[in-house]
Coordinates of all heavy atoms in Angstrom, one line a residue:
Chain K
I158 N 40.8 64.0 11.1 CA 41.8 63.1 11.7 C 42.1 61.8 10.8 O 43.2 61.2 10.9 CB 41.3 62.6 13.1 CG1 40.1 61.9 13.0 CG2 41.3 63.8 14.1 CD1 39.6 61.2 14.3
I159 N 41.3 61.6 9.8 CA 41.5 60.6 8.9 C 42.0 61.0 7.5 O 42.9 60.4 7.0 CB 40.2 59.7 8.7 CG1 39.7 59.2 10.0 CG2 40.4 58.6 7.7 CD1 40.6 58.1 10.7
L264 N 35.9 50.3 13.0 CA 36.7 51.4 12.8 C 36.9 51.8 11.3 O 36.5 53.0 10.9 CB 38.2 51.2 13.3 CG 39.3 52.2 12.8 CD1 39.0 53.6 13.4 CD2 40.7 51.7 13.4
S267 N 33.4 52.6 9.8 CA 32.8 54.0 10.1 C 33.8 55.2 9.6 O 33.2 56.2 9.3 CB 33.0 54.3 11.7 OG 32.2 53.2 12.3
A268 N 35.0 54.8 9.4 CA 35.9 55.9 8.9 C 35.9 56.2 7.4 O 35.7 57.3 7.0 CB 37.4 55.5 9.4
E315 N 34.3 58.5 29.3 CA 33.8 58.1 28.0 C 34.6 58.6 26.8 O 34.8 57.9 25.8 CB 32.3 58.5 27.9 CG 31.5 58.1 29.0 CD 30.6 56.8 28.5 OE1 30.8 56.2 27.4 OE2 29.5 56.8 29.1
T316 N 35.1 59.9 26.9 CA 35.9 60.4 26.0 C 37.0 59.4 25.6 O 37.5 59.5 24.3 CB 36.6 61.7 26.5 OG1 35.7 62.4 27.2 CG2 37.2 62.6 25.4
A318 N 37.1 56.3 25.3 CA 36.7 55.2 24.4 C 36.8 55.3 23.0 O 36.9 54.4 22.2 CB 35.3 54.9 24.6
C319 N 37.0 56.5 22.6 CA 37.3 56.8 21.1 C 38.2 56.0 20.4 O 39.3 55.8 20.9 CB 37.5 58.3 21.0 SG 37.9 58.9 19.3
I320 N 37.9 55.6 19.3 CA 38.9 54.8 18.3 C 39.3 55.7 17.1 O 39.7 55.1 16.2 CB 38.3 53.5 17.9 CG1 37.0 53.7 17.2 CG2 38.2 52.5 19.2 CD1 36.4 52.3 16.7
R321 N 39.0 57.0 17.1 CA 39.4 57.9 16.2 C 39.0 57.5 14.8 O 39.9 57.5 13.9 CB 41.0 58.0 16.2 CG 41.6 58.6 17.6 CD 41.5 60.1 17.7 NE 42.2 60.3 19.0 CZ 41.7 60.4 20.2 NH1 40.5 59.9 20.6 NH2 42.5 60.8 21.2
C322 N 37.9 57.2 14.6 CA 37.4 56.8 13.3 C 37.0 58.1 12.4 O 37.0 58.1 11.2 CB 36.1 56.0 13.3 SG 34.6 56.8 13.9
G323 N 36.6 59.2 13.1 CA 36.4 60.5 12.4 C 34.9 60.5 11.9 O 34.4 61.5 11.3
A324 N 34.1 59.4 12.2 CA 32.7 59.4 11.8 C 31.9 60.7 12.3 O 31.0 61.2 11.7 CB 32.0 58.1 12.0
C325 N 32.2 61.0 13.5 CA 31.4 62.1 14.2 C 31.7 63.4 13.4 O 30.7 64.2 13.3 CB 31.9 62.2 15.7 SG 33.7 62.4 16.1
M326 N 33.0 63.6 13.0 CA 33.0 64.8 12.1 C 32.4 64.7 10.8 O 31.8 65.7 10.3 CB 34.5 65.4 12.1 CG 35.6 64.3 11.6 SD 37.3 64.7 12.3 CE 37.1 64.3 13.9
P345 N 39.7 68.0 15.5 CA 38.7 69.0 15.3 C 37.3 68.2 15.6 O 37.2 67.1 15.8 CB 38.8 69.3 13.8 CG 39.4 68.2 13.1 CD 40.3 67.5 14.3
G346 N 36.2 68.8 15.1 CA 34.9 68.2 15.0 C 34.5 67.7 16.4 O 34.9 68.2 17.4
P347 N 33.3 67.0 16.4 CA 32.8 66.6 17.8 C 33.7 65.9 18.8 O 33.7 66.4 20.0 CB 31.7 65.6 17.5 CG 31.2 66.2 16.0 CD 32.5 66.6 15.3
I348 N 34.6 65.0 18.4 CA 35.5 64.4 19.4 C 36.5 65.5 19.8 O 36.8 65.6 21.0 CB 36.3 63.2 18.7 CG1 37.2 62.6 19.8 CG2 37.0 63.5 17.5 CD1 36.7 62.0 21.0
G349 N 36.8 66.5 19.0 CA 37.8 67.6 19.4 C 37.1 68.4 20.3 O 37.7 69.0 21.3
I351 N 35.0 67.8 22.6 CA 35.0 67.2 23.9 C 36.5 66.8 24.5 O 36.8 67.0 25.7 CB 34.1 65.9 24.1 CG1 34.6 64.7 23.2 CG2 32.7 66.2 24.0 CD1 33.9 63.4 23.5
C375 N 26.5 63.2 15.9 CA 27.8 62.6 16.3 C 27.6 61.3 17.1 O 28.1 60.2 16.8 CB 28.7 63.5 16.9 SG 27.8 64.5 18.4
G376 N 26.8 61.4 18.1 CA 26.5 60.3 19.1 C 25.9 59.2 18.5 O 26.1 58.0 18.7
V378 N 26.3 58.2 15.4 CA 27.2 57.3 14.6 C 28.3 56.8 15.1 O 29.0 55.9 14.5 CB 27.5 58.1 13.1 CG1 26.3 58.3 12.2 CG2 28.3 59.3 13.5
C379 N 28.6 57.4 16.4 CA 29.8 56.9 17.0 C 29.8 55.4 17.2 O 28.9 54.8 17.9 CB 29.9 57.6 18.4 SG 31.5 57.0 19.3
P380 N 30.9 54.7 16.6 CA 31.0 53.2 16.6 C 31.1 52.6 18.1 O 30.8 51.4 18.4 CB 32.1 52.9 15.7 CG 33.0 54.1 15.9 CD 32.1 55.2 15.9
V381 N 31.5 53.5 18.9 CA 31.6 52.8 20.4 C 30.7 53.7 21.4 O 30.9 53.6 22.6 CB 33.0 53.0 20.9 CG1 33.8 52.0 20.2 CG2 33.7 54.4 20.7
A382 N 29.6 54.4 20.7 CA 28.5 54.9 21.5 C 29.0 55.9 22.6 O 28.4 55.9 23.7 CB 27.7 53.8 22.1
I383 N 29.9 56.8 22.2 CA 30.3 57.9 23.2 C 29.1 58.9 23.1 O 28.7 59.3 22.0 CB 31.5 58.6 22.7 CG1 32.7 57.4 22.8 CG2 31.8 59.7 23.7 CD1 34.0 58.0 22.3
I385 N 28.5 61.9 23.0 CA 29.1 63.3 22.9 C 28.2 64.4 23.2 O 28.7 65.2 23.9 CB 29.6 63.3 21.4 CG1 30.6 62.2 21.0 CG2 30.3 64.6 21.2 CD1 31.1 62.2 19.6
Ligands
LIG1 S1 34.1 60.0 19.0 FE1 33.3 58.2 18.2 S2 32.8 58.7 16.1 FE2 34.1 60.4 16.9 S3 36.1 59.7 16.2 FE3 35.9 58.8 18.3 S4 35.0 56.8 17.9 FE4 34.9 57.9 16.0

Side-chain angles (χ1 to χ4, degrees):
Chain K
I158 63 169
I159 302 291
L264 172 62
S267 303
E315 301 247 28
T316 315
C319 174
I320 57 173
R321 303 281 191 276
C322 70
C325 54
M326 52 201 79
I348 179 62
I351 56 173
C375 50
V378 296
C379 176
V381 290
I383 300 175
I385 299 173

